[in-house]
Amino acid sequence: MEFITGIGGVGGSLISYVIPFLFVLTIVVFFHELGHFLVARWAGVTVETFSIGFGREIYGWNDSKGTRWKISWIPLGGYVKFLGDENAASTPSKDALENMTPEQAAGNFHAKPLSSRAAVVAAGPVANFILAIVIFTGLILAFGERIVAPLVAEVRVDSAAEAAGFEVGDRVLEISGTRIDSFRDMQMIVSFSADERLEILVERNGENVLLEATPTVYEMTDRFGNVQRIGLLGIGADPDPANALHVRHGPLTAVWMGVEQTWFIVSRTFQFLGDMIVGREDTSQLRGPLGIAQTSGQVATLGLAALINLAAVLSVSIGLINLFPIPMLDGGHLLYYGVEAVRGRPMGDEAQEYGFRIGLALVLMLMVFATWNDLTHLRVFEFLSNLLS
């Protein structure tokens, strides 16, 4: 009976995760590929296929210019295939380049000028960043912003804040050069800065005082049972909700705030990767498709707005990852184009082939590692062990 209950629970969880996950991922992937598609059409490249997902086609149609739009069985990404591509990774087809007619050459992606090819490749990640900015802007316009003043209402005993010399009544002005307008601004920076020395400028009795503090590492369990490692100073905000302001912003301000939120995710991602390399961050924090699916399902319980916000965060992450200089990714293609610009001619076919193989191996290893972390976080191994014991 416990076995059946366990299977039922896992099955129910999978359903609640999969639908929000596919919703979020489809939005992000569609806009990424749409960026490639639109710039390719603008550059005169013939687009043969626009696919959401991989593998066998479920449903599709041809547009007036001959592009096959389709939805495929494996919903873990997508691709745009141009005339002259050998595969979905946009590897150039040598046969197509050698045997194309003048009409085909006009639409062949790999026969286009270097600047056009680079613009087409970069358009995917750029579209992801634009999507994130649009979503953040829309949410700010729709819901406004709740602002709690960055005033220190409490300094906890034996905390990093006490050691740094914080006092009740201090108003935080800047953290390591970043202006602070609300308590939330301060929380966002501190939570990503565990064990990192911060210079904090506060206003105290009409004078500016510079403090140095190192947030301590704190393991926080959220409402869904996920354990997260964050930085903590040990100061409290004004607990009276009546002192919080609800501010509505105009379109220009909302757009700027959307850009700031997008840049914050980019900068903190680089910080996390750097900390992970030097050992300050745990590599178990890396998540793969299963982890994203779990997060999507959990966030979906908070409402549509929260799920759309997650789509914006994921869009920034996918855009950024695709810019990494790894063959198989957009950044790898841009790296090849950079070499081509310096040499005055493309890299040799053999060098490109080895590069794509190395890139594929790196991507596969990262996926396996992230999926292993996902299975560990989801306690799948623990579940299987209990079934077998």
Side-chain angles (χ1 to χ4, degrees):
M1 189 65 180
E2 291 181 0
F3 173 82
I4 296 175
T5 303
I7 292 294
V10 172
S13 296
L14 287 176
I15 293 173
S16 65
Y17 293 163
V18 167
I19 294 176
F21 169 64
L22 293 182
F23 171 77
V24 169
L25 189 63
T26 299
I27 291 175
V28 173
V29 169
F30 175 77
F31 276 91
H32 179 95
E33 301 305 332
L34 186 64
H36 291 312
F37 173 83
L38 291 176
V39 176
R41 281 279 178 89
W42 171 79
V45 176
T46 299
V47 183
E48 295 183 336
T49 306
F50 187 117
S51 178
I52 299 298
F54 300 100
R56 180 182 294 183
E57 177 182 317
I58 301 174
Y59 175 74
W61 68 94
N62 292 333
D63 67 17
S64 60
K65 294 190 177 181
T67 301
R68 182 66 177 177
W69 296 72
K70 64 181 185 178
I71 299 173
S72 302
W73 276 106
I74 307 175
L76 296 178
Y79 63 91
V80 172
K81 186 173 182 292
F82 306 122
L83 178 64
D85 287 347
E86 186 174 334
N87 51 43
S90 201
T91 305
S93 172
K94 188 175 182 180
D95 292 338
L97 287 171
E98 291 177 349
N99 301 316
M100 61 185 174
T101 64
E103 292 78 11
Q104 291 173 328
N108 190 299
F109 172 71
H110 301 282
K112 292 294 180 181
L114 178 60
S115 58
S116 296
R117 283 179 280 142
V120 171
V121 170
V126 170
N128 282 130
F129 296 136
I130 293 175
L131 173 62
I133 293 170
V134 169
I135 291 176
F136 288 140
T137 300
L139 292 174
I140 292 167
L141 288 174
F143 299 102
E145 182 185 16
R146 183 177 182 271
I147 298 179
V148 176
L151 293 173
V152 178
E154 176 191 5
V155 179
R156 298 188 179 95
V157 178
D158 296 329
S159 66
E162 184 183 56
F166 276 89
E167 296 180 5
V168 173
D170 287 348
R171 184 184 185 94
V172 178
L173 303 176
E174 292 182 0
I175 297 181
S176 296
T178 300
R179 177 179 169 180
I180 301 299
D181 295 316
S182 68
F183 204 86
R184 179 175 177 272
D185 292 343
M186 181 167 51
Q187 287 177 314
M188 289 178 66
I189 294 176
V190 170
S191 64
F192 283 94
S193 304
D195 280 340
E196 180 181 337
R197 186 178 64 84
L198 300 176
E199 292 186 346
I200 304 176
L201 182 66
V202 303
E203 181 184 359
R204 180 183 298 166
N205 299 323
E207 297 183 356
N208 290 347
V209 179
L210 185 62
L211 305 176
E212 291 188 356
T214 303
T216 55
V217 179
Y218 176 73
E219 290 194 349
M220 179 189 73
T221 302
D222 63 22
R223 60 186 295 179
F224 303 109
N226 301 313
V227 177
Q228 300 176 354
R229 298 173 73 252
I230 63 172
L232 198 68
L233 274 180
I235 60 178
D238 187 345
D240 188 354
N243 294 329
L245 299 177
H246 187 265
V247 180
R248 291 283 186 179
H249 296 289
L252 292 180
T253 302
V255 170
W256 179 247
M257 292 176 68
V259 171
E260 286 185 322
Q261 288 189 37
T262 301
W263 173 246
F264 180 82
I265 296 171
V266 171
S267 62
R268 294 304 162 180
T269 299
F270 279 120
Q271 179 183 333
F272 171 79
L273 293 174
D275 289 344
M276 189 177 64
I277 291 172
V278 299
R280 282 201 299 262
E281 284 288 353
D282 189 354
T283 56
S284 66
Q285 299 298 310
L286 284 175
R287 308 300 295 273
L290 296 177
I292 297 172
Q294 181 192 30
T295 302
S296 301
Q298 293 169 344
V299 171
T301 65
L302 304 178
L304 182 60
L307 190 60
I308 292 175
N309 186 78
L310 175 63
V313 174
L314 184 61
S315 188
V316 177
S317 299
I318 287 181
L320 185 60
I321 289 171
N322 267 280
L323 286 176
F324 288 177
I326 300 174
M328 292 289 294
L329 301 180
D330 294 329
H333 290 288
L334 293 174
L335 176 64
Y336 282 172
Y337 297 155
V339 173
E340 180 178 342
V342 173
R343 298 176 73 235
R345 63 184 187 278
M347 293 175 60
D349 293 338
E350 187 175 357
Q352 291 194 45
E353 179 63 25
Y354 277 116
F356 280 117
R357 290 180 181 179
I358 294 171
L360 177 61
L362 290 173
V363 171
L364 289 177
M365 285 190 295
L366 181 60
M367 286 187 64
V368 169
F369 180 73
T371 302
W372 181 272
N373 283 343
D374 291 344
L375 294 173
T376 302
H377 281 289
L378 291 170
R379 298 181 177 177
V380 172
F381 299 124
E382 180 182 334
F383 172 73
L384 294 175
S385 176
N386 291 335
L387 289 180
L388 298 175
S389 62

